[in-house]
């Protein structure tokens, strides 16, 4: 392991088996990305030109009409909403979010009004929009969505996320069709998703990603879509966008990360190797059931450790033991109440994954000896 960045603050080392989680600092960066950020950080550059050329470069790389770098996906969403409400008009840009124009309503399915760490409806308001949820928490039909779209609709927001739990929702294709029939643009929140072109291909006008989630770059956002709307997002920099400013080193880092992401080294094989390393380190003689599950929307294999009745400790107790260790091991705990914890391989090396397996083994084993 490299030198511990935070020893002077007394923070423990962390082995991240939870995934690219905001609370654990999101993605850690490969040397190729860090080197480009370091070079950019030490050299002055004409920022307006950098923004323009980096956007064009990203658009070329991805094969989309236009692209821009934002400070985060949430910043990108605020700017995307503002772009649909006030466009690029310099005077109107400076009135956001307290906009006096009448076309401010942003329609979204009720099940898409998620809290990913902050409520998506608050981002709409910050961008000068007024959220208009359609349908109910668990269901939305095309008729609900159609009824909510009118002359005062600035945009329809569509959220693609594991945070969305709906029995029925209107598909993106149908949403695009309904919105476009009223000349209303569709904004897609695809913050954590890995498909950087599919939503544009499906007809979305603006799509917003986190740079620090699937892309594996620095804390940042990526906005792709139609030229005029992407330009209108950038135009918010003389208004609310100023509070979400992107530094030159962040732009350099996101570019490097997207380049690496697009060249796509064999990700799945690497992830599977790490999951296997964790599984082997846990062994086969403990009172646990081990299985591999793939993420619902992305090609991410995870090791699921299910405690059997004879294990003598609960998943919550196991999690506490792992966290208290040095390094502190952080697992994926959404399913802890069902006695299951997940080992996510994305932020681990093969050695790190084996260490996580050993820590799980020790945490369960210590308990067994104490009985
Ligand atoms: C993470 C997330 C966001 C926010 O992304 P940031 O880049 O951290 O601001 C927004 N929407 C969804 C669905 C998310 O998962």
């Amino acid at each position: 392991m490299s030198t511990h960045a935070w020893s002077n603050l007394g923070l423990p080392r962390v082995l991240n088996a939870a995934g690219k989680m905001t609370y654990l600092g999101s993605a850690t960066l490969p040397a190729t990305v860090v080197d480009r950020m370091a070079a950019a950080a030490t050299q002055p550059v004409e920022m307006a030109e950098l923004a323009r050329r980096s956007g064009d470069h990203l658009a070329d790389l991805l094969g989309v009409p236009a692209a821009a770098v934002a400070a985060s996906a949430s910043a990108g969403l605020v700017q995307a909403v503002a772009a649909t409400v006030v466009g690029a008009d310099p005077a109107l840009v400076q009135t956001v979010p307290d906009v006096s124009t009448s076309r401010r309503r942003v329609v979204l399915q009720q099940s898409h009004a998620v809290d990913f760490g902050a409520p998506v409806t608050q981002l709409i308001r910050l961008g000068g929009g007024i959220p208009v949820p359609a349908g109910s928490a668990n269901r939305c039909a095309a008729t609900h969505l159609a009824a909510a779209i009118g002359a005062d609709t600035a945009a329809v927001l569509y959220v693609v996320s594991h945070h969305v739990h709906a029995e029925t929702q209107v598909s993106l294709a149908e949403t695009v069709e309904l919105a476009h029939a009223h000349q209303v643009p569709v904004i897609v929140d695809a913050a954590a998703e890995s498909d950087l072109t599919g939503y544009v291909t499906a007809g979305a006008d603006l799509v917003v990603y986190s740079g620090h989630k699937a892309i594996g770059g620095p804390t940042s956002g990526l906005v792709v879509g139609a030229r005029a709307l992407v330009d209108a997002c950038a135009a918010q920099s003389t208004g609310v966008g100023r509070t979400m400013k992107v530094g030159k080193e962040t732009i350099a880092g996101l570019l490097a990360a997207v380049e690496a992401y697009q060249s796509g080294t064999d990700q799945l094989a690497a992830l599977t190797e790490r999951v296997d390393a964790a599984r082997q380190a846990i062994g086969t003689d403990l009172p646990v059931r081990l299985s591999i599950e793939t993420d619902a929307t992305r090609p991410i294999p995870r090791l699921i450790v299910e405690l059997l009745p004879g294990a003598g400790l609960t998943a919550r107790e196991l999690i506490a033991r792992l966290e208290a260790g040095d390094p502190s091991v952080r697992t994926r705990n959404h399913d802890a109440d069902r006695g299951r914890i997940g080992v996510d391989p994305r932020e681990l090396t093969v050695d790190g994954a084996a260490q996580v397996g050993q820590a799980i083994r020790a945490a369960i084993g210590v308990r067994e000896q104490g009985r």
Side-chain angles (χ1 to χ4, degrees), residues 4 52 61 81 96 105 132 165 171 194 222 245 260 271 279 290 312 335 368:
H4 177 32
R52 201 175 60 74
L61 268 176
V81 169
V96 174
R105 290 157 77 88
V132 180
H165 300 289
S171 70
S194 49
L222 171 66
K245 184 157 76 173
L271 295 177
R279 181 173 21 199
L290 301 178
D335 251 359
E368 278 179 333

Side-chain angles (χ1 to χ4, degrees), residues 181-229:
H182 291 80
Q183 279 80 51
V184 169
V186 175
I187 302 168
V188 174
D189 173 0
E193 299 310 302
S194 49
D195 182 346
L196 302 186
T197 55
Y199 307 107
V200 168
T201 309
D205 300 275
L206 282 172
V207 188
V208 181
Y209 299 90
S210 279
H212 47 273
K213 291 183 180 170
I215 297 169
T219 298
S220 58
L222 171 66
V223 181
V224 302
R227 173 93 262 165
L229 281 170

